[in-house]
Amino acid sequence: MMTSDLRSIPEGIEIHADIAIVGGGPAGIAIARELADTRIRVIVIESGGQDYEAEIQALNSVENIGEPFVSANAVPEGRGYTGGLAWLNDVPAFELRNRMLGGSSHTWVGKCAAFDDIDFQNRPWLPLSGWPIDRGQLLPALDRAGKLLNLGPNLYDERLFALLHSRPDDLGLDKQLLKPFFWQFSHMRHPRAEPMRFARLAGDITAANISFLTHATATEINVDSQGRRVTSLNLRSAIGRSATVRANTIVLCGGGVENARLLLASNSHLPAGIGNEHDVVGRYLCDHPRTSLCRFTGRDIDAIARHFNFYGLSHGGRTHFYLRGLSLGAEIQAYEGLTNCAAYPVQLHAWDDPWAALKRLTKGAGKTVMGDLATVARSADMISSGLYERLVRKRGLPHRSTELRFDVMVEQQLDPESRIMLAQQRDRFGQPLPRVSWKIGQREIASVKRLAGLISKEFVRVGLPKPVLPDWIAARENAQAVFMDMAHPSCTTRMGTDPRTSVVDTNAMVHGIDGLFVAGSSVFPTPGHANPTLMLLALAIRLADHLKQRHASKQSHRPDHRNEADLSLHRG
C-alpha cells in the first residue's frame, strides 16, 4: 500500500489523479480494490490515519436536535453491544463513526444480510418507496461483495433451509405474518474469529495506480464556473497544512452524515451547496431504530435458543453460520401499511457460562483462572454436547444464559423533515458541524409493536414459551417508546431518477454535476431493515464497474495516457 501523510507534505501541493475517493472505509476501499491494476490513477483520501486519534475523532461531533428523545419515565436504550464493544452504546447518536483507515469496520461485528425483494418494490402505502434499479441488476455485484466479505450464499429467507447442514424445525408459524430471516457474519480468513477489517484489505493493495493519503480532511468540493462539472477538492490536516486534489472524477465515500455535510458545505460557487438545486441533499435521513422487543428467562431460554440460534452450511470448503430470526411477512406489511422489520435473538451469558470461561482461559485471563477452571470442570456434559452440536450438526453452541431477548431493527418511512443540515457551530477547520434532525415516525413504532404482538401470539399458538413484552408495548403507551440509532445513517443522498426527490442518478452520479459520484448507504433509495454493509458494498462494486467504463470511454481520445506509479505533485 502506497501511503502519504498530508502532515508531511509541503504546503500548497497540488495532487493530480484520475479518480479521487474521499473516505477510506469499506466503500472507498472496495472501489479502490476494483480499480487496482488498471490505467486509472486513484487516490484514496482519509481524514484520519491508521490508528485511533482522539483529536481526529472529535471531527465527528454533531448538533443533534432530533431523536433519540427519552421521556422522563422511559429507560434509555443502547445499541445492544455487549462485552468488549459495550462502550459503543454510550457514543452519542450519529457520532459513532471512525475517522481512520478501515472506517466503520473497526467497530462492527460483521453482521450481514441482503435487502428483501419487497425493499426494492414500489409500496403504495410508503411514499417514494421503490428503487430505480431492480434486485436482479444487483445480484452479480452482491455475490462479489459476499465473496469480499468471506460470506456464504446470499440467501436470507426460508430458501436457505434446504442448504443448511441440519434443517431447522418447522415451527408451524403463519408465514403470512412471520417469516424466517437470517443473518450471517463476515470474518477475516486469518484470524478466523476476527470480523472483517477493511484496513487490512487496504494494506493488501499493492497496485502501482492506487495511493492513499491520510490525515487529509476534505473541506470543499470545487466545480467549474458553470457549476456543472467537478474540478478539485480542498484538503486540510490537523496541523493546518493544506493541499488541493485535481481530478476529473471524485467519489464521496464518507458515510450518511459526512457525504451530505460535504455537499452542503461546498457552497462557495453554489450557495445552496453542490447537487442541492432542489433542496434535497441531507433530507430523508434514515437509520435503523433499534429497541428490545421481548425477553425470555429461566428454562424458557433453552426452549427458544433451540430454534433461534446459529445454523451452518458448507460452501467453498468452509463452514458458514447463519443466525435465525423473524421478520414481518410481506402480506401483513401491505395489508396493514407497515414498514419492514426483523427481530434477532441475543443471549446474555451467565458469569459461569463454560464457553465464556474457556475463551478467557485460552486468552490467559489470570484474575479468573481458578473460577473458570472450576466452571469448565463441572460443565463437561454441556461442553461435550456443544462440541457435537457445533462440529457434527453445524449448530450454535448451547450457552448458560441469564436472559434471551429479541432485538429489532425497523425500516423507516422516508420523511423529508428528517435530515442533515449545517449548524452555526464550526469544527477546527472552520467547517459547519452537521445539524442532525432524525425523526422516527408512528408507522415505524406501529410496525415494531405489531411484530412484538405477532411473536407473542404465534409462539403461544405453536407451543413455544410466551415472551415478556416491554412495558410500553404491553401498556400500549407509544409515548414511552425508546429507540436508539444503530450508526446506520442512510438515504441522505438517495438514488433516483427525479432530481426533486433524489441526489444521485442510477449510476450514483450527482444530478447535474459531471464527474461527482457518491457511494455508501447515503445513496440507498430506502433503508430496509438489514445491516447496510453488504448492500453498500454491492452498490460500490457496481459503481466501480461504471467508473471503469466511463474512464475507458474518456481515455479513448487520449492515447498518451500514462499508468504512473506515483501521483503527480505540483507546488501551488
Side-chain angles (χ1 to χ4, degrees), residues 253-266:
C253 300
V257 175
E258 290 299 321
N259 284 346
R261 194 260 283 257
L262 185 55
L263 287 172
L264 292 171
S266 299

Side-chain angles (χ1 to χ4, degrees), residues 6 9-13 235-237 240-244:
L6 182 58
I9 292 177
E11 171 66 20
I13 284 291
L235 306 179
R236 293 283 299 279
S237 75
R241 195 151 291 167
S242 63
T244 301

